[in-house]
Amino acid sequence: MRNKLSFLLSVVCLWGVILVSGCSEKDETPTNLTLKEGTQTTQVVYADEVTNQGGISFTALSDWTATVTEVATEAATKAASGKVEWLELSAYSGGPGEYTLTLTLIENLTGKDRKATIEIRCGNDVITITVEQKATTEAGETPAPKEKRLVRYEITNSSSLYPDSYTKSIGELTYNENGKLAALKTISYQGDAQGYFTERIYQFTYQENQMWIDRKTLSGYESYVITLNSEGYVSQLYKKKESSSEQHTLWMFIYSDGYLQQIQEDYDYYPGDHEDGDEEDGNVAIDPGVSSGRMGRASDRSILQLNWQNGNLMSTEGEFSDESYMSYAYTEYPNVTPYFDFNVVVRPLFGSHTYEYDDMVSMLYMLRMMGKGSKNLVTKDVVDWGYDMPEPGEPEVIHEDTWAPFAYSFTEDNYLDVITGKCTLYSYQEDEHGNHVSESTSYYNDEYRFVYE
């Protein structure tokens, strides 16, 4: 009996040793993933912070991966890419080793708190970190959204008759540290071979109520002197000549409630002896100058009148009694793209008329430096091909060209993204019975693309 009892006790003790040994071995088995002491599993950053202090430090014994999931739309965001737009990790995968992941965030301008979870997986082990970015700064202020700026636009024109002879115009805009336009570079070329290449570079310099534009082209260099009114809009403009004692042509711009109403010209203007100023530091003092008109001679004239209705420019008219100026019709789409007024690009203020500064004024108006633009975007382009008249004795070719309405697409800020336009060009001749003969149909396509930062 005693032997049986001893045997049973031995068996129980043996199992006890085995169980204790098994637990001990399990506890000593290292995990695949270990979070470094001091790394917080819940991290909070403020709206204006774009990185966090310390990051996420861990040790992995085998390959690992990391995913970031937006808390509000967890299933959709995670399924899409394992990343979110406003939070980026310095790495999303790796092999065995010690790591510290840094977090890069985008400033929170949404006005709302946002939250994401970071899951780091290694084998069967998972570490979950929650990151919350507040809607306010540490001082309790809500950051205002920053306006995106136009940095590039592309205009492509092509014809169905000559698809390889398309023309492309590219504009690149840069800004100074105060957010003002510093330079505009434009290039234009034809076809893949870039024939008929042209280039213009406009450089803008500011000082109080003054602005200077230096324009460099392939054929030379020009400098324009500009006075700004209290609202920052162009009020006077003339092209600088070698000597301030020479006669200049001055253009003056009249506004009402921020809208350009009239353009006047003084073709007998003298800037004065002090216009050159201090050229060493690039500062040029604008002298009020003297015009012969102020001395009793009628050198002032109005060359353009702008007619507005309900915040939209409806038409322009000038000193010539004809229909070659411009009229406008509008969509419901807002015209809010910064530094680019599309309306004047396709429907120039001066129509088919040319003046000394009409191209410079059109450029300044496009850049929104000449008052408030129309509140809406125009419906379609204007037909202005300038067909040649037939020679005597030749039958007349009749043209019926029609632009379809523009197709607009926009960014989330309601800025222009892509615009397409299409014109149907139909021409024919008539026989003695009025029937159409020698018919021809072709198409002209325009595309406009915009890039912002």
Side-chain angles (χ1 to χ4, degrees):
M1 183 68 181
R2 189 188 312 176
N3 292 336
K4 288 185 178 180
L5 183 58
S6 299
F7 174 76
L8 288 174
L9 289 172
S10 300
V11 170
V12 171
C13 291
L14 178 61
W15 276 107
V17 171
I18 292 173
L19 289 174
V20 171
S21 176
C23 290
S24 176
E25 289 179 2
K26 183 176 181 179
D27 290 342
E28 293 176 0
T29 302
T31 58
N32 287 313
L33 194 60
T34 305
L35 191 64
K36 185 178 178 180
E37 185 177 353
T39 298
Q40 301 296 320
T41 56
T42 299
Q43 303 188 14
V44 179
V45 294
Y46 291 103
D48 56 344
E49 293 181 310
V50 295
T51 187
N52 70 328
Q53 299 295 328
I56 303 172
S57 298
F58 62 91
T59 301
L61 298 183
S62 59
D63 292 346
W64 59 272
T65 59
T67 57
V68 185
T69 305
E70 186 90 34
V71 170
T73 56
E74 183 168 346
T77 307
K78 187 173 181 178
S81 65
K83 301 179 182 180
V84 297
E85 291 184 354
W86 57 271
L87 192 158
E88 183 178 352
L89 301 178
S90 56
Y92 289 87
S93 62
E98 294 184 356
Y99 292 88
T100 296
L101 301 184
T102 57
L103 282 60
T104 302
L105 302 95
I106 296 175
E107 187 175 4
N108 188 0
L109 304 176
T110 65
K112 298 179 180 179
D113 295 347
R114 55 190 180 189
K115 188 182 294 185
T117 58
I118 302 170
E119 286 190 354
I120 304 172
R121 293 182 175 271
C122 182
N124 294 324
D125 295 335
V126 180
I127 292 175
T128 301
I129 306 291
T130 300
V131 178
E132 181 179 9
Q133 189 178 34
K134 295 293 187 180
T136 59
T137 65
E138 188 174 5
E141 299 175 348
T142 301
K146 295 179 180 178
E147 184 181 74
K148 291 185 178 179
R149 299 185 297 196
L150 178 68
V151 295
R152 181 183 174 93
Y153 62 83
E154 294 184 5
I155 305 173
T156 305
N157 315 117
S158 61
S159 168
S160 60
L161 294 177
Y162 311 102
D164 295 332
S165 296
Y166 67 89
T167 59
K168 183 179 285 288
S169 299
I170 300 172
E172 295 178 342
L173 297 83
T174 56
Y175 302 85
N176 62 24
E177 59 184 8
N178 297 320
K180 292 185 176 181
L181 185 65
L184 169 64
K185 177 181 178 181
T186 65
I187 61 171
S188 300
Y189 59 85
Q190 185 175 32
D192 292 336
Q194 298 191 6
Y196 301 103
F197 181 90
T198 62
E199 179 182 69
R200 290 182 177 181
I201 300 176
Y202 301 85
Q203 292 182 319
F204 299 80
T205 305
Y206 308 86
Q207 182 184 353
E208 297 180 355
N209 67 327
Q210 303 168 8
M211 179 172 69
W212 299 267
I213 300 178
D214 295 324
R215 179 169 68 176
K216 181 181 179 182
T217 67
L218 297 178
S219 59
Y221 177 89
E222 297 173 337
S223 183
Y224 293 82
V225 183
I226 293 172
T227 303
L228 305 175
N229 65 16
S230 60
E231 297 175 288
Y233 301 140
V234 175
S235 63
Q236 292 186 348
L237 160 72
Y238 65 88
K239 183 166 66 174
K240 184 178 176 182
K241 296 186 178 181
E242 291 184 3
S243 172
S244 59
S245 61
E246 292 185 57
Q247 177 180 318
H248 291 63
T249 298
L250 174 74
W251 276 23
M252 297 163 285
F253 306 90
I254 312 302
Y255 298 86
S256 176
D257 193 27
Y259 293 96
L260 180 62
Q261 302 290 327
Q262 191 179 79
I263 301 177
Q264 298 178 351
E265 181 183 66
D266 180 354
Y267 56 82
D268 196 12
Y269 176 77
Y270 295 86
D273 295 334
H274 304 291
E275 182 266 325
D276 288 337
D278 183 3
E279 297 187 355
E280 291 185 2
D281 59 9
N283 295 326
V284 180
I286 295 180
D287 187 275
V290 177
S291 71
S292 57
R294 295 173 192 152
M295 295 185 290
R297 293 174 54 189
S299 61
D300 290 359
R301 61 173 181 159
S302 174
I303 56 176
L304 195 71
Q305 182 75 34
L306 291 79
N307 304 311
W308 296 83
Q309 182 178 340
N310 298 324
N312 281 323
L313 177 61
M314 304 307 297
S315 64
T316 60
E317 55 186 284
E319 56 185 337
F320 304 108
S321 300
D322 57 24
E323 298 180 356
S324 55
Y325 287 93
M326 196 56 63
S327 62
Y328 301 82
Y330 294 92
T331 66
E332 295 296 321
Y333 298 125
N335 177 28
V336 295
T337 300
Y339 282 106
F340 196 92
D341 190 330
F342 177 69
N343 296 339
V344 75
V345 174
V346 295
R347 289 181 171 263
L349 296 176
F350 294 91
S352 60
H353 292 286
T354 57
Y355 290 87
E356 183 172 356
Y357 301 146
D358 67 282
D359 59 338
M360 178 61 67
V361 168
S362 295
M363 188 268 292
L364 290 170
Y365 195 99
M366 179 195 77
L367 296 173
R368 300 190 180 275
M369 294 182 177
M370 305 199 72
K372 301 175 183 176
S374 294
K375 67 178 181 180
N376 298 112
L377 292 164
V378 294
T379 56
K380 56 185 178 180
D381 209 333
V382 60
V383 176
D384 186 17
W385 306 117
Y387 291 110
D388 295 331
M389 296 297 293
E391 295 293 333
E394 292 184 356
E396 180 182 2
V397 178
I398 301 173
H399 299 275
E400 295 180 357
D401 303 335
T402 307
W403 276 100
F406 285 119
Y408 289 100
S409 65
F410 302 90
T411 68
E412 60 183 9
D413 300 308
N414 273 334
Y415 297 163
L416 293 171
D417 185 20
V418 179
I419 308 170
T420 56
K422 183 175 184 177
C423 185
T424 301
L425 290 78
Y426 174 62
S427 61
Y428 61 91
Q429 293 176 318
E430 292 183 344
D431 60 18
E432 63 273 15
H433 304 292
N435 299 317
H436 291 195
V437 296
S438 303
E439 294 178 304
S440 173
T441 301
S442 60
Y443 303 95
Y444 193 81
N445 298 287
D446 286 349
E447 182 183 75
Y448 304 81
R449 291 185 174 272
F450 305 86
V451 180
Y452 306 88
E453 288 183 357

